[in-house]
Every structure is written in structure tokens, then in C-alpha cells.
């Protein structure tokens, strides 16, 4: 009998390999091409193989951090450069492979002003189909990534949001990929007019005295609120779902508290993954929010139990909690991918069925009342 871990690996890789092979046709998209345009061509001789794994072009080995002997600072700088290249590469995958559109915010900013952006499918705002919103954890990584380290060590399937995006487009029609960690702009790199990947994630941008908060995007909470107010809340879709990882769960809960009735009416379900939210603290014991969370949300947590098995929580009053099928925090999103979409599909079906059955009953009741008059 094949172990569950091996069956999971073969199944998920089979799902992803086809798409990744397709994107590599003609070598139009390549991490190596981005590296060749930098000063690190020899130090970073890496590219992603057909399985989405980062491998050395000569040795086929995984990434080695200690390239320079006894020089942590230089090794760290090399690692950051690789991270910036991966960010730009993932952006290209979102646009070219997933056919997502980059949307700049704030909407009224000029091209000369420092802006941020997020990604969404072409008809996400105009179609009546449901929308899946992806909300990542907090860190140096940007839109389309669950984690930079995970991409480098485990590959594109486990570290990027592409499998989620593909499944959302297939099953729900619309997807929005938030970019909540793009909060600061480095004035020096902005003046130098570098490519957006270098500008968005300069090694000095998080600590430079020349860094300033982006307008309407100074924090993950502000970014999410802006996209909700100007895009999601105005969309034609009546059914919206969030998939929130780590700190992203806290950010969604903040949105729920700040836009209580809007969110409750438009969001049909939320899938938390190892969420950092705290209902009692954030909702301040609001019984309506607590009830909504318990009814419309489910959380997958890193745990040694089999995928989907119930996990008790002694820490906080929360929604139903189940195992992500792995004890590794970084791998939780990819491990519970299919379980999450099965849950979202069932909750959406339950909502639409309920809405459908209520209508005829109301109609017959109203007609009988009219007939009795």
C-alpha cells in the first residue's frame, strides 16, 4: 500500500507539472533569464526544473546558502537577490500562466507616484460567479507566494499560490490575489527607476531611512481594506470567499470588524490556515461576529493528525478546526489545498440551494395570501 504522503506528493505534482511544463515551452519564462541580467550570474546559477523545483544548473543540487566561505553578510545579500528574482518571476507567472491582470492602487495615483498593486482575473469584478480572495501571511514575500523560503526549499507547488489560483479559476470563475506586504517604497530606488521587482523589494527598503509608507498601502490591514472598499465590495459577485494564511487571518478578521455588515452579506465562507486571528480580542465579544465566524469559517492547522480530522482548540473561541495534514507550518497551504476547495464548494452549494428553496416557498405563501383576500 502506498503511504499517504507519497500519494499526496504524486497527486499534487501531477496536477502542477502539466501547467509548469506548458509555461516553460519556448523558454519564454525563466528565472535564469532574470539572473543573467544581474551581477550574480555565476553566484546564482539556478533555475526551476519541470517539477517546479529550484536546482543548480550544473550540479542539479538544491539551493546552497553558504556560497562564500565565512561571510554571512555576502551570503545573505546573495540570498536576498535570489528572493527578488523569484518575486519578479512569480509576478510573470501570475500574468502569463494564470492570465491575471495587475491592478495598480491607489486608483487615482499617477504613473509618477509610487504605487502598489494586486492581481485579479479578467472578469472578477463583472461576472456574477463567485470570487476567491487569497490573503497571505506577513513577511518579505509578495503577491502569489505563500512563502519565499518554501519556494526555494520545496518548490513552486508548495511555495506559490498558483495551484490555488488555478483551482479557483476552474471551480469558481474569479480570483483576487492580494499583495498585503508591499508597504514601503524606497525613495532611492524609486528615483533610480529600476524594474518593479527591484523597486518593490530592495534589500534596503525595510530598513532604509529613505523608506516611506505607500499611500493606501502602509500595512496589510490598510491594503486589504482598500481593495475591499474599491473593488471587492463593488463587484457583481454575490459570493466571495477568503483563503487566509497566518497573519492574513488576523487581517481578514480586522476587515470583518471594520466592515461588519458588508462582509457578512458578501462573504459566504473563509478558510483559515494556521491563522493568527483572535476573535475574542479583535471582535471585543461581539456576539454577531462570533456567531458568523463559527458558522461561516473553518481553520486548517499544522498538526500530526490526518488531513481534515477535527482538532480541539483550548486557546480561543473559534470556528471548527481541522488538521492540515502536516506538522510543517510552511507546507500547510499546499497540503490542505484540495480539502479547502472541497469545503468551499460545499458551503457555496449549501448557500445557493438554501437561496433557491426559499424563493418558491415565499412565492407560494404570497400567492395564497393574495388568493384569500
Amino acid at each position: 500500500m502506498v503511504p499517504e504522503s507519497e500519494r499526496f506528493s504524486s497527486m499534487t505534482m501531477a496536477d502542477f507539472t502539466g501547467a509548469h511544463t506548458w509555461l516553460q515551452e519556448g523558454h519564454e519564462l525563466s528565472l535564469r533569464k532574470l539572473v543573467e541580467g544581474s551581477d550574480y550570474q555565476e553566484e546564482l546559477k539556478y533555475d526551476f526544473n519541470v517539477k517546479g523545483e529550484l536546482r543548480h544548473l550544473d550540479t542539479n543540487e538544491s539551493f546552497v546558502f553558504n556560497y562564500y566561505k565565512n561571510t554571512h553578510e555576502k551570503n545573505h545579500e546573495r540570498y536576498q537577490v535570489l528572493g527578488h528574482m523569484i518575486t519578479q518571476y512569480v509576478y510573470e507567472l501570475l500574468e502569463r500562466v494564470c492570465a491575471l491582470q495587475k491592478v495598480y492602487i491607489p486608483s487615482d495615483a499617477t504613473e509618477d507616484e509610487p504605487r502598489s498593486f494586486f492581481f485579479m482575473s479578467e472578469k472578477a469584478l463583472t461576472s456574477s460567479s463567485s470570487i476567491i480572495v487569497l490573503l497571505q501571511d506577513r513577511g518579505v514575500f509578495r503577491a502569489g507566494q505563500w512563502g519565499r523560503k518554501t519556494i526555494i526549499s520545496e518548490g513552486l507547488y508548495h511555495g506559490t499560490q498558483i495551484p490555488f489560483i488555478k483551482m479557483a479559476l476552474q471551480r469558481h470563475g474569479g480570483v483576487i490575489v492580494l499583495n498585503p506586504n508591499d508597504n514601503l517604497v524606497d525613495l532611492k530606488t524609486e528615483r533610480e527607476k529600476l524594474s518593479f521587482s527591484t523597486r518593490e523589494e530592495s534589500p534596503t527598503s525595510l530598513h532604509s531611512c529613505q523608506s516611506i509608507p505607500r499611500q493606501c498601502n502602509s500595512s496589510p490591514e490598510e491594503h486589504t481594506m482598500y481593495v475591499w472598499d474599491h473593488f471587492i465590495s463593488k463587484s457583481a459577485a454575490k459570493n466571495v470567499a477568503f483563503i487566509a494564511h497566518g497573519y492574513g487571518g488576523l487581517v481578514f478578521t480586522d476587515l470583518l470588524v471594520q466592515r461588519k455588515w458588508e462582509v457578512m452579506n458578501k462573504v459566504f465562507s473563509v478558510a483559515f490556515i494556521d491563522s493568527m486571528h483572535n476573535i475574542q480580542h479583535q471582535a471585543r465579544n461581539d456576539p454577531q461576529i462570533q456567531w458568523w465566524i463559527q458558522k461561516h469559517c473553518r481553520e486548517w492547522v499544522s498538526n500530526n493528525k490526518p488531513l481534515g480530522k477535527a482538532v480541539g482548540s483550548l486557546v480561543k473561541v473559534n470556528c471548527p478546526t481541522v488538521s492540515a495534514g502536516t506538522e510543517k507550518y510552511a507546507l500547510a497551504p499546499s497540503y490542505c489545498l484540495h480539502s479547502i476547495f472541497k469545503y468551499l464548494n460545499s458551503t457555496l452549494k449549501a448557500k445557493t440551494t438554501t437561496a433557491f428553496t426559499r424563493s418558491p416557498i415565499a412565492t407560494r405563501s404570497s400567492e395564497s395570501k393574495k388568493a384569500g383576500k
Side-chain angles (χ1 to χ4, degrees):
M1 186 174 181
V2 180
E4 183 179 358
S5 60
E6 292 185 14
R7 284 190 282 111
F8 168 84
S9 178
S10 61
M11 175 184 66
T12 53
M13 280 304 171
D15 291 341
F16 189 62
T17 300
H20 198 69
T21 302
W22 170 72
L23 69 89
Q24 289 291 345
E25 286 183 1
H27 302 284
E28 293 182 0
L29 297 180
S30 169
L31 177 70
R32 182 59 188 168
K33 286 187 177 181
L34 298 176
V35 175
E36 287 176 348
S38 73
D39 296 330
Y40 286 81
Q41 296 186 45
E42 287 299 318
E43 294 91 334
L44 291 173
K45 295 184 69 173
Y46 292 91
D47 206 348
F48 291 102
N49 62 20
V50 71
K51 295 182 180 180
E53 302 164 333
L54 186 67
R55 292 291 182 264
H56 194 277
L57 294 175
D58 296 334
T59 65
N60 200 38
E61 294 181 352
S62 56
F63 178 75
V64 176
F65 180 83
N66 292 316
Y67 181 84
Y68 306 103
K69 293 183 179 180
N70 303 320
T71 313
H72 178 80
E73 185 175 345
K74 290 185 66 177
N75 284 321
H76 182 66
E77 181 179 344
R78 170 176 169 266
Y79 178 81
Q80 284 195 308
V81 171
L82 175 62
H84 310 324
M85 299 299 176
I86 288 176
T87 294
Q88 183 172 348
Y89 180 62
V90 172
Y91 286 160
E92 290 185 353
L93 295 181
L94 296 183
E95 292 187 281
R96 302 280 291 279
V97 175
C98 301
L100 301 185
Q101 299 177 339
K102 184 192 296 183
V103 182
Y104 287 95
I105 55 175
S107 304
D108 56 355
T110 65
E111 292 186 5
D112 295 332
E113 293 181 277
R115 302 173 292 173
S116 185
F117 53 86
F118 67 97
F119 293 87
M120 68 179 179
S121 52
E122 182 180 1
K123 298 180 180 180
L125 301 183
T126 57
S127 174
S128 59
S129 62
S130 56
I131 297 176
I132 304 298
V133 183
L134 301 182
L135 184 50
Q136 64 191 170
D137 198 2
R138 194 165 197 173
V140 296
F141 41 88
R142 299 293 187 260
Q145 304 180 47
W146 292 123
R148 177 195 291 179
K149 290 182 179 179
T150 311
I151 293 176
I152 293 174
S153 61
E154 304 292 341
L156 294 170
Y157 180 86
H158 293 288
T160 74
Q161 297 175 338
I162 292 175
F164 282 78
I165 295 168
K166 286 286 189 180
M167 192 163 290
L169 292 172
Q170 179 183 355
R171 298 189 180 185
H172 295 270
V175 65
I176 290 178
V177 180
L178 297 178
N179 197 15
N181 297 320
D182 183 30
N183 308 134
L184 299 175
V185 57
D186 189 290
L187 299 180
K188 180 180 178 181
T189 53
E190 196 72 28
R191 287 193 299 266
E192 290 171 352
K193 302 293 184 181
L194 298 180
S195 65
F196 70 79
S197 66
T198 306
R199 182 171 68 245
E200 307 300 340
E201 239 183 327
S202 167
T204 61
S205 64
L206 294 179
H207 306 287
S208 171
C209 60
Q210 297 185 9
S211 295
I212 60 173
R214 291 187 182 277
Q215 182 183 358
C216 303
N217 213 74
S218 63
S219 67
E221 291 85 348
E222 187 177 27
H223 170 85
T224 303
M225 189 86 68
Y226 185 91
V227 177
W228 173 271
D229 289 342
H230 293 81
F231 297 92
I232 301 174
S233 67
K234 298 179 180 179
S235 68
K238 296 181 180 180
N239 301 308
V240 176
F242 277 75
I243 301 175
H245 182 220
Y247 191 82
L250 185 149
V251 174
F252 171 80
T253 305
D254 177 76
L255 176 68
L256 173 61
V257 172
Q258 299 296 329
R259 299 291 186 268
K260 178 177 174 180
W261 298 113
E262 285 186 15
V263 172
M264 286 183 174
N265 288 324
K266 202 167 183 74
V267 176
F268 73 89
S269 192
V270 179
F272 292 119
I273 308 172
D274 282 323
S275 176
M276 296 182 185
H277 73 275
N278 187 308
I279 298 300
Q280 291 174 305
H281 174 70
Q282 292 182 267
R284 297 179 182 177
N285 296 318
D286 185 323
Q288 293 171 323
I289 290 181
Q290 290 184 353
W291 174 87
W292 190 91
I293 285 281
Q294 293 174 355
K295 182 177 177 61
H296 295 277
C297 303
R298 180 175 294 182
E299 181 173 6
W300 282 255
V301 297
S302 302
N303 192 273
N304 59 5
K305 288 187 177 182
L307 175 65
K309 291 295 183 180
V311 177
S313 176
L314 301 176
V315 180
K316 57 188 177 182
V317 177
N318 200 2
C319 55
T321 305
V322 298
S323 173
T326 177
E327 295 182 84
K328 297 181 179 180
Y329 179 88
L331 297 180
S334 60
Y335 266 69
C336 59
L337 164 68
H338 293 277
S339 180
I340 284 177
F341 276 95
K342 182 179 179 180
Y343 164 71
L344 295 181
N345 291 340
S346 64
T347 53
L348 178 60
K349 183 178 180 180
K351 179 185 177 183
T352 55
T353 302
T354 302
F356 178 80
T357 55
R358 282 178 179 173
S359 180
I361 294 174
T363 303
R364 288 197 297 268
S365 175
S366 60
E367 288 180 353
S368 61
K369 289 180 179 179
K370 291 180 181 179
K373 288 183 178 180

